[in-house]
């Protein structure tokens, strides 16, 4: 498929507002016109997860089937997971959800990467790995995400491209199940599953790591898989955990409050501010008392941030992924709407800082600029520039805070221009970076899907492997990096990398060219 066509299809899938308003109508219209047999899904060469063997489409007769065409790095695909979980739990014997993983990035074609994603997103249904897009083409899918609904008779009922409205989708599925029941078409049966194991580790798919100001060196870590924020000493030992470990949205004391897969944070003064991604919220932890409060977000997925300020308490955000702070302003990467927002801590009001909501790589003033799932933030030493790891465009962006909040691209070329290429900024390529950290006149990037740390030299305008990539591991057992999602500069001779897929934090020492596991 050509790059231009791919770009068109991705834009189609992200017309969220139109999808929310018209998804059910489209599904019902498609049902009237469809009535065609669903193509076979149990095909040679496709790997299945969470089940013991492939499930032929005929074996699912008597149940409603939802095929979820997704890819693991797509924020809109991630947003659909709780919507599908809702109908799975409501109709455990009448309905089957099957994920069809259709990769965009090279790294996503790895079965090991998908296996991690299944554990990270806590998927409890069968997943087919389709790296060659065989089923994507067989079902004529043209967008991430797409849901194809198959009736109990094995015929396609309809399809929805993009994120459906949760309430309307649940109602439509309920109607289909009810009609099939009245017609005697249902043959309820519980699906036999063999779920992938979730690692039993101190950290579980950790996200960002940031320094905590104070007389004693400490660090704050978003332990996303455990739904907690961890305070660490400078030796990597736990000092305190915030959140009771259960996914939820609850304020209160450290051991009572609940987060939902928080990915980012920033510590300042007497607080740790948290990008509570799964709750679509920004939270605050009082470092003295440990109390957790909500500054912005309602717990529901929101739409575009507006340029006009609105009260944070009633504003709906969309998967905030990371935070930065300058004075009384808290910047947040609103990954779900492809925008950068700003929260005024004095007034409690928030607004768009940059990004018109299009998923694209576009420079300019706030209403002109476009991002693609911004996921990491880092402020320059002089506080004048906010750097952004723009994951889906495989780019590093920059916003000039003292020049009209104008955005430009440091490295990156487009939504489907990715790779592992060193050299001048205009030819260099990254692959789905999730974090960036300022290190003097350099930027260090957690180049997530390349499983590397990359250095961007802002003076020479070049990209290279971090210090040539020649480090000696001093651990008894050494592991290759596995989709790192956080990075922090402790000093000129010390860099801490959140090695997310290995559930650890790695320490690099440039002077000795050595690395070791700092915390695991």
């Amino acid at each position: 498929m050509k790059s231009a066509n791919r770009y068109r299809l991705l834009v189609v899938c992200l017309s969220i507002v139109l999808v929310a308003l018209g998804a059910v109508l489209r599904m019902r219209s498609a049902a009237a016109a469809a009535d065609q047999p669903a193509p076979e899904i149990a095909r040679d060469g496709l790997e299945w997860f969470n089940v013991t063997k492939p499930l032929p489409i005929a074996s699912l007769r008597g149940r409603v089937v939802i095929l979820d065409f997704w890819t693991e790095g797509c924020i809109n695909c991630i947003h659909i997971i709780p919507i599908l979980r809702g109908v799975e739990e409501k109709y455990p014997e009448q309905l089957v959800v099957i994920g069809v993983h259709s990769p965009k990035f090279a790294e996503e074609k790895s079965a090991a990467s998908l296996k991690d994603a299944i554990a990270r997103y806590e998927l409890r249904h069968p997943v087919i790995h389709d790296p060659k897009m065989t089923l994507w083409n067989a079902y004529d899918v043209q967008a991430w995400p797409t849901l194809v609904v198959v009736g109990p008779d094995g015929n396609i009922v309809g399809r929805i491209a993009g994120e459906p409205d949760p309430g309307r989708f649940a109602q439509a599925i309920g109607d289909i199940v009810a009609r099939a029941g009245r017609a005697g078409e249902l043959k309820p049966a519980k699906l036999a599953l063999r779920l992938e194991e979730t690692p039993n580790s101190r950290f579980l798919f950790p996200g960002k790591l940031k320094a905590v100001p104070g007389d004693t060196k400490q660090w704050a870590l978003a332990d996303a898989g455990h739904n907690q924020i961890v305070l660490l000493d400078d030796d990597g030992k736990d000092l305190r955990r915030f959140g009771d470990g259960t996914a939820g949205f609850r304020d209160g004391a450290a051991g009572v409050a609940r987060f939902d897969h928080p990915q980012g944070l920033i510590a300042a003064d007497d607080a740790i501010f948290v990008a509570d991604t799964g709750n679509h919220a920004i939270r605050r932890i009082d470092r003295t008392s440990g109390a957790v409060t909500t500054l912005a977000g309602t717990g529901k997925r929101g739409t575009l941030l507006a340029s006009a300020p609105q009260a944070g308490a009633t504003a709906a955000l969309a998967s905030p992924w990371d935070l930065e702070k300058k004075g009384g302003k808290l910047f947040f990467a609103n990954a779900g709407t492809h925008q950068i927002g700003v929260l005024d801590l004095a007034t409690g009001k928030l607004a768009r800082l940059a990004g018109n909501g299009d998923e694209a790589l576009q420079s300019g003033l706030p209403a002109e600029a476009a991002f693609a799932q911004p996921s990491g933030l880092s402020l320059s030493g002089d506080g004048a520039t906010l750097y952004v790891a723009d994951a889906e465009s495989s780019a590093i962006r920059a916003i000039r805070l003292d020049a009209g909040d104008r955005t430009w691209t440091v490295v990156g070329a487009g939504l489907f221009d990715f790779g592992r290429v060193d050299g001048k900024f205009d030819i260099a390529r990254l692959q789905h970076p999730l974090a960036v950290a300022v290190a003097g006149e350099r930027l260090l990037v957690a180049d997530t899907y390349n499983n590397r740390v990359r250095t961007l030299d802002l003076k020479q305008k070049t990209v290279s492997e971090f210090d040539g990539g020649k480090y000696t591991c001093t651990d008894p057992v050494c592991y290759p990096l596995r989709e790192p999602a956080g990075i922090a500069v402790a000093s000129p001779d010390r860099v801490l990398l959140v090695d997310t897929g290995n559930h650890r934090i790695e320490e690099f020492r440039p002077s000795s060219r050595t690395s070791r596991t700092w915390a695991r």
Side-chain angles (χ1 to χ4, degrees):
M1 189 180 294
K2 294 183 179 179
S3 176
N5 288 336
R6 287 181 174 181
Y7 176 81
R8 176 181 61 81
L9 299 180
L10 196 59
V11 170
V12 169
C13 87
L14 298 176
S15 300
I16 299 169
V17 176
L18 294 178
V19 167
L21 293 175
V24 176
L25 293 176
R26 281 203 303 277
M27 189 164 73
R28 288 173 176 167
S29 297
D35 197 29
Q36 60 184 24
E40 182 57 73
I41 56 176
R43 302 189 181 203
D44 292 340
L46 299 181
E47 188 171 359
W48 287 65
F49 294 87
N50 283 342
V51 287
T52 58
K53 60 183 180 181
L55 303 174
I57 199 73
S59 71
L60 301 171
R61 291 282 182 94
R63 285 169 283 186
V64 176
V65 178
I66 301 175
L67 300 177
D68 174 23
F69 289 84
W70 68 296
T71 186
E72 63 181 86
C74 160
I75 189 65
N76 305 94
C77 301
I78 296 170
H79 287 166
I80 278 185
I81 292 171
I83 299 174
L84 293 176
R85 187 170 293 140
V87 295
E88 287 180 281
E89 292 175 351
K90 189 170 183 178
Y91 307 106
E93 298 185 355
Q94 298 93 345
L95 179 143
V96 176
V97 173
I98 298 177
V100 184
H101 187 248
S102 311
K104 168 189 172 182
F105 289 98
E107 173 69 7
E108 293 173 339
K109 295 180 180 180
S110 160
S113 177
L114 173 58
K115 187 174 180 179
D116 279 352
I118 291 170
R120 186 166 63 246
Y121 301 140
E122 300 168 6
L123 300 184
R124 300 291 184 266
H125 55 245
V127 177
I128 308 169
H129 188 34
D130 187 20
K132 295 183 179 179
M133 313 288 267
T134 303
L135 297 181
W136 173 286
N137 292 324
Y139 278 82
D140 194 27
V141 175
Q142 302 195 18
W144 292 284
T146 290
L147 302 177
V148 176
V149 182
V150 180
D153 60 356
N155 289 329
I156 294 176
V157 174
R159 66 182 65 217
I160 305 170
E163 294 180 47
D165 175 87
R168 295 184 179 187
F169 178 75
Q171 180 181 347
I173 294 300
D175 290 345
I176 292 172
V177 171
R179 285 198 302 270
R182 289 193 298 269
E185 297 175 345
L186 288 179
K187 297 178 182 178
K190 196 162 187 178
L191 195 64
L193 298 173
R194 187 184 66 185
L195 300 179
E196 298 295 324
E197 292 184 6
T198 299
N200 182 18
S201 54
R202 177 185 168 196
F203 308 130
L204 185 60
F205 298 109
K208 304 297 187 288
L209 175 77
K210 302 285 179 72
V212 177
D215 296 332
T216 303
K217 191 74 170 180
Q218 297 178 349
W219 299 89
L221 174 71
D223 191 2
H226 286 139
N227 305 297
Q228 293 178 316
I229 302 301
V230 189
L231 187 64
L232 305 168
D233 68 14
D234 203 36
D235 292 322
K237 297 177 181 177
D238 278 28
L239 295 174
R240 192 173 189 183
R241 285 183 175 255
F242 304 92
D244 71 359
T246 301
F249 191 27
R250 186 166 72 191
D251 289 345
V256 173
R258 289 182 174 175
F259 300 93
D260 189 349
H261 297 81
Q263 295 292 337
L265 39 63
I266 191 72
D269 304 322
D270 60 349
I272 299 173
F273 300 94
V274 180
D276 192 6
T277 311
N279 280 321
H280 310 291
I282 296 173
R283 318 288 290 282
R284 181 186 186 275
I285 301 172
D286 187 291
R287 289 171 53 196
T288 302
S289 68
V292 178
T293 53
T294 300
L295 300 181
T298 63
K300 304 295 184 182
R301 185 249 198 269
T303 53
L304 295 181
L305 299 174
S307 58
Q310 56 183 315
T314 58
L317 309 182
S319 295
W321 214 272
D322 198 14
L323 302 173
E324 255 293 4
K325 185 175 180 292
K326 179 183 180 182
K329 293 183 177 181
L330 189 67
F331 302 106
F332 59 96
N334 209 47
T337 62
H338 316 294
Q339 294 174 295
I340 307 300
V342 57
L343 172 65
D344 188 317
L345 294 172
T347 66
K349 293 186 176 182
L350 61 80
R352 176 197 69 196
L353 175 74
N356 58 21
D358 290 343
E359 183 173 21
L361 186 74
Q362 188 168 307
S363 300
L365 293 172
E368 303 167 340
F371 297 85
Q373 204 171 312
S375 302
L377 301 176
S378 186
L379 199 61
S380 63
D382 61 5
T385 304
L386 182 64
Y387 291 99
V388 181
D390 204 25
E392 281 293 300
S393 65
S394 297
I396 300 298
R397 318 291 297 283
I399 304 171
R400 191 69 184 181
L401 300 176
D402 61 355
D405 301 329
R406 180 178 290 275
T407 297
W408 78 96
T409 299
V410 182
V411 172
L415 294 175
F416 290 89
D417 296 290
F418 55 84
R420 182 183 161 196
V421 180
D422 290 337
K424 290 292 186 180
F425 281 173
D426 60 340
I427 64 167
R429 294 291 180 267
L430 310 173
Q431 187 183 182
H432 200 79
L434 289 178
V436 58
V438 173
E441 294 185 340
R442 300 183 304 162
L443 301 179
L444 300 185
V445 176
D447 193 5
T448 307
Y449 277 0
N450 278 323
N451 301 297
R452 293 286 186 276
V453 178
R454 310 286 289 283
T455 299
L456 276 61
D457 189 313
L458 297 174
K459 288 189 73 175
Q460 299 297 323
K461 295 185 178 358
T462 58
V463 176
S464 61
E465 297 280 332
F466 175 53
D467 280 351
K470 299 176 181 178
Y471 276 76
T472 300
C473 168
T474 61
D475 291 334
V477 178
C478 298
Y479 300 91
L481 296 179
R482 197 160 153 187
E483 298 186 3
I487 191 166
V489 179
S491 72
D493 192 38
R494 187 178 179 217
V495 174
L496 298 175
L497 180 73
V498 183
D499 188 12
T500 303
N502 285 317
H503 318 289
R504 65 171 180 164
I505 302 170
E506 184 89 341
E507 180 186 69
F508 291 85
R509 293 283 187 175
S511 62
S512 61
R513 295 294 179 93
T514 58
S515 67
R516 70 181 182 97
T517 297
W518 177 70
R520 184 175 189 173

